[in-house]
Amino acid sequence: MTAFRTLDQADVQGKRVLVRVDLNVPMENGKVTDATRIERVLPTIREIADKGGKVILLAHFGRPKGRDPKESLKPVAEAVSLHLKKNVAFADDCIGEVAEKAVAALKGGDVLLLENTRFHAGEEKNDPAFVSALAKLGDLYVNDAFSAAHRAHASTEGLARVLPAYAGRTMQQELDALTKGLEAPKRPVVAIVGGAKVSTKIDLLENLVTKVDALVIGGGMANTFVHATGLNVGKSLAEKDLAATALRIIEKARTSNCAIILPVDGVCAYEFKAGAVNHTYGIDAIPEDQMILDVGSQSVERINAAINDAATLVWNGPLGAFEIPPFDQGTVAAARHAAQRTKEGKLVSVAGGGDTVAALNHAGVAENFTYVSTAGGAFLEWMEGKALPGVEALRA
Ligand code: AMP
């Protein structure tokens, strides 16, 4: 059971339902080039429309400073209509007379997209006057945009405070997965954190060591830890000035009974280039003139053993420079192993944030994970243990 109000508790029939969605889709020459985000919000739109609700979609697009035709949602309305296989009306503004007229014209089951909420400064300021102007347009509020939930904006947080508020189906799915991942997980829990730098993930590492039973550190950031423990990392990417931070995290893990699993070997090359000549060395024998670009096979064995011991896995960040083969092999091998354990029903696997989705897609296993979040910033803030304003406002 989720601790959030969902569409199960909402009576939408004949009601004006303001639905916050993420339609910040990639566009080229006025055409949507990847419709993943559109696909994700269709179930909520369909359900409300099928139940006779008037669906009024709210979304931001890009980072406009005031009204800017280049950041209009109008072409996105056409794309939503195409995927929904149903007419989607569009209003040139998200508040005021234009929006009010468009809403008044709706019948039960109709769908309307309002213009970019960020055309008004009140959106990002969560300005009460702007919140009221939006709230006038609806009887209920549904938030289906987890990826924007780390922002306390008018359409992501303010509205939930003034209208009866519910999680949409995609938001609900994300919250259920995240609860299974870290808030109420089946233990033992292992986390894998990779990626380029420690500096962007200090809060995340500090939070995880207090919550998980084992933390695997890979990617460029592992080099900083390896250096901090007194070993030589050659020409590898490493933030040597963060050695003290790395040691503090190791110490915090020790007092929290969290095992830290660092690479025991590394695939090294002279240059950061696809197909570069490479050799695997023990982590205490990294040559002075080479860089570690992936975890080695012995490290993968240890990581896979940690996955075998776990009932739950949370994963953010690749274990190596996965974009340039053959330095994708560590990430691919561990991802495939986690996917296999998940398929066998032995593991709940939750992954997300930035390059992680690309890495799992590259390994061909994103479909086999229990849940892969495409939410980027919001997913990372959740992994950091931060309260997400848009989510908090939906708590039952
Ligand atoms: P992040 O956005 O922090 O998750 O970092 C992802 C990036 O880290 C990817 O572009 C990887 O190529 C890079 N990366 C992972 N491991 C290494 C490594 N050992 N050396 C250099 N870059 C790496």
Side-chain angles (χ1 to χ4, degrees), residues 1 47 73 75 125 152-154 196 223 245 264 269 272 296 338 340 369 372:
M1 252 299 285
E47 182 172 338
L73 276 170
K125 290 194 184 123
H153 292 172
N223 304 335
T245 304
V264 290
F272 189 94
Q340 185 57 33
F369 269 56
V372 178

Side-chain angles (χ1 to χ4, degrees), residues 29 37 67 104 163 227 241 257 276-277 298 330 345 368:
N29 304 323
R37 285 184 160 158
R67 189 170 265 278
L163 289 177
H227 162 77
D241 53 328
N257 276 331
V277 174
Q298 286 185 33
N368 302 119

Side-chain angles (χ1 to χ4, degrees), residues 194-198 200-201 218-223 236-238 267 272 291-295 316-324 327 331 353-356 380:
K197 290 182 172 176
V198 172
T200 57
K201 295 188 184 172
M221 71 161 59
N223 304 335
S236 304
L237 172 70
V267 183
F272 189 94
M291 56 184 109
I292 308 168
L293 291 177
D294 195 11
V295 291
N316 169 262
L319 295 172
F322 77 100
E323 304 95 330
I324 52 166
F327 308 105
T331 303
D355 278 342
T356 315
L380 284 182

Side-chain angles (χ1 to χ4, degrees), residues 180-198:
K180 276 193 216 146
L182 271 189
E183 267 158 50
K186 210 167 148 206
R187 289 195 174 271
V189 186
V190 63
I192 297 180
V193 179
K197 290 182 172 176
V198 172

Side-chain angles (χ1 to χ4, degrees), residues 179-231:
T179 303
K180 276 193 216 146
L182 271 189
E183 267 158 50
K186 210 167 148 206
R187 289 195 174 271
V189 186
V190 63
I192 297 180
V193 179
K197 290 182 172 176
V198 172
S199 51
T200 57
K201 295 188 184 172
I202 295 172
D203 288 350
L204 186 146
L205 294 167
E206 296 230 36
N207 181 48
L208 286 179
V209 293
T210 67
K211 296 219 170 122
V212 305
D213 302 291
L215 171 63
V216 172
I217 301 176
M221 71 161 59
N223 304 335
T224 301
F225 280 84
V226 169
H227 162 77
T229 60
L231 296 171

